[in-house]
C-alpha cells in the first residue's frame, strides 16, 4: 500500500483541521511519524507519489486543488528516485504549493545538506529518529497557522547576517525582531546543530 | 509475570540490545494505541525481510555493487534505528564501512553479524511482548 490515510487523530486544539503529508520510503518511519504527529495525516512512500497527491505531477490527482488541504509536508531526505531536496524544490517551484511549509528529515548529519535545504526554503530540518520534542515544535508551528512563511527570506538573511557560524548564539531573544518565534525554529536546530557540531 | 516482563525489558537495555529510541516508542503507546510498540517492531521484522534478501542477492552478484549495498543497508539501518535496535544498528554501520572501502570479505562476514543480531533481538522482543501481554 503506497498511500496510507490516517483519519483524524486527536489533534489537541480540535479547532482547525490540519492535514499533514508525510513522505518517507520507510514504512516504519511513516508509522512512527503518524503516531508522533497525532494529527490527520496522509503518508506516501515517495516524492513522485507526493507530487501526484499534491496534483503537480502533470497527471490529475484525485482531489481538485480546492479540496486539497495540506498544512505541512514532512519528508525524508534520502529516498530512492526523488530525494526530499528534489521534492522540496518542486514544491517551492510551484505557485500553487510553495506556501506549504516543508520540513526535511534525515538520519545523516551533513551540514551542507541542511544548509541547502534551508536555503531552498525548508521550514525546518529534523534529525532522525524524529523525537517528540521535534514534533511539539512542529505542532506549535501548525497551530499558529504557520503564518510566518514569508520569513523564509528573512531566515536566510538572519542566518547570514547574525547567526553566521555561531548558530549556537541564536536564541529566542534574537535582537532582530520582528522575526517571530517560528523563524527562530530554524535556529532552534540549536539542539540539532549543537548535536551536529558536537559530533562533527 | 509483570516482574518478569519488566526484568526482561531492563535486561535488553542493560545488555545494549535497545537504546533510547525504544523508549520514545514506548512513550507513544497509550490506551488509544496500546500495542503500538509491538506493532512497530512487527512491521520492522516484516519489512526487513525484503531488505535482507536484497542484500543477500546483491552480495552474490559479481562484481559487487557496493553503492547498491550501501543504499540498501542505509534503509535497513534507518529502520533499525527507528525501533532502537542498538546492536543491529552498530553492525549495519560496520557493514557500511566495509562497503565504503570495497572490502568484500568484510561485507560478507559483517552481514552474518547483522543477521545474527537481527534474529537475536527478534527472539528477545517476541518473548518480551508475550510476557507483557500475559501480564496485562
Amino acid at each position: 500500500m503506497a498511500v496510507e490515510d490516517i483519519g483524524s487523530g486527536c489533534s489537541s486544539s480540535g479547532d482547525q483541521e490540519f492535514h499533514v503529508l508525510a513522505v518517507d520510503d520507510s514504512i516504519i518511519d511513516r508509522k512512527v511519524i503518524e503516531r508522533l504527529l497525532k494529527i490527520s495525516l496522509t503518508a506516501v512512500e515517495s516524492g513522485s507519489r507526493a507530487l501526484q497527491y499534491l496534483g503537480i505531477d502533470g497527471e490529475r490527482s484525485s482531489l481538485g486543488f480546492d479540496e486539497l488541504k495540506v498544512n505541512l509536508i514532512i519528508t525524508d531526505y534520502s529516498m530512492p528516485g526523488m530525494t526530499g531536496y528534489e521534492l522540496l524544490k518542486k514544491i517551492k517551484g510551484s505557485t500553487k504549493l510553495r506556501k506549504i511549509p516543508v520540513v526535511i528529515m534525515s538520519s545523516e548529519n551533513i551540514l551542507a545538506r541542511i544548509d541547502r535545504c534551508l536555503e531552498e526554503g525548508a521550514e525546518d530540518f529534523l534529525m532522525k529518529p524524529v523525537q517528540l520534542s521535534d514534533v511539539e515544535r512542529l505542532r506549535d508551528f501548525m497551530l499558529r497557522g504557520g503564518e510566518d512563511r514569508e520569513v523564509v527570506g528573512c531566515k536566510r538573511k538572519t542566518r547570514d547576517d547574525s547567526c553566521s557560524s555561531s548558530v549556537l548564539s541564536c536564541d529566542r531573544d534574537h535582537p532582530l525582531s520582528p522575526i517571530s518565534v517560528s523563524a527562530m525554529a530554524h535556529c532552534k536546530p540549536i539542539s540539532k546543530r549543537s548535536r551536529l557540531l558536537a559530533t562533527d | 509475570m509483570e516482574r518478569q516482563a519488566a526484568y526482561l525489558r531492563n535486561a535488553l537495555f542493560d545488555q545494549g540490545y535497545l537504546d533510547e529510541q525504544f523508549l520514545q516508542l514506548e512513550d507513544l503507546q497509550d490506551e488509544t494505541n496500546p500495542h503500538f510498540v509491538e506493532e512497530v517492531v512487527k512491521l520492522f521484522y516484516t519489512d526487513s525481510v525484503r531488505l535482507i534478501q536484497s542484500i543477500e542477492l546483491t552480495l552474490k552478484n559479481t562484481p559487487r555493487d557496493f553503492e547498491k549495498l550501501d543504499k540498501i543497508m542505509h534503509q535497513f539501518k534507518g529502520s533499525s534505528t527507528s525501533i532502537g535496535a542498538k546492536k543491529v544498528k552498530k553492525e549495519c554501520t560496520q557493514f557500511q564501512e566495509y562497503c565504503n572501502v570495497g572490502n568484500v570479505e568484510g561485507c560478507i562476514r559483517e552481514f552474518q553479524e547483522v543477521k545474527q543480531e537481527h534474529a537475536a533481538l527478534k527472539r528477545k522482543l517476541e518473548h518480551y511482548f508475550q510476557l507483557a501481554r500475559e501480564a496485562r
Side-chain angles (χ1 to χ4, degrees), chain B residues 23-74:
Chain B
L23 293 173
Q24 284 273 323
L25 294 183
E26 287 181 328
D27 280 346
L28 294 174
Q29 186 163 288
D30 60 21
E31 316 77 51
T32 61
N33 271 261
H35 307 291
F36 179 70
V37 185
E38 191 173 351
E39 285 166 11
V40 176
V41 170
K42 274 205 175 118
L43 199 54
F44 167 73
Y45 278 102
T46 313
D47 190 57
S48 51
V49 170
R50 64 173 178 97
L51 292 171
I52 286 176
Q53 282 172 351
S54 187
I55 294 175
E56 235 141 25
L57 255 152
T58 312
L59 269 175
K60 288 203 172 98
N61 294 335
T62 51
R64 264 75 181 203
D65 188 343
F66 289 107
E67 201 184 312
K68 183 171 180 192
L69 285 169
D70 184 69
K71 274 207 170 93
I72 307 168
M73 187 48 86
H74 175 82

Side-chain angles (χ1 to χ4, degrees), chain B residues 7 11 14 16 23 29 54 64 72 94 99 103 123 136:
Chain B
Y7 179 79
D14 292 340
L23 293 173
Q29 186 163 288
S54 187
R64 264 75 181 203
I72 307 168
Q94 190 61 56
C99 277
N103 182 342
R123 280 194 306 271
R136 274 194 219 114

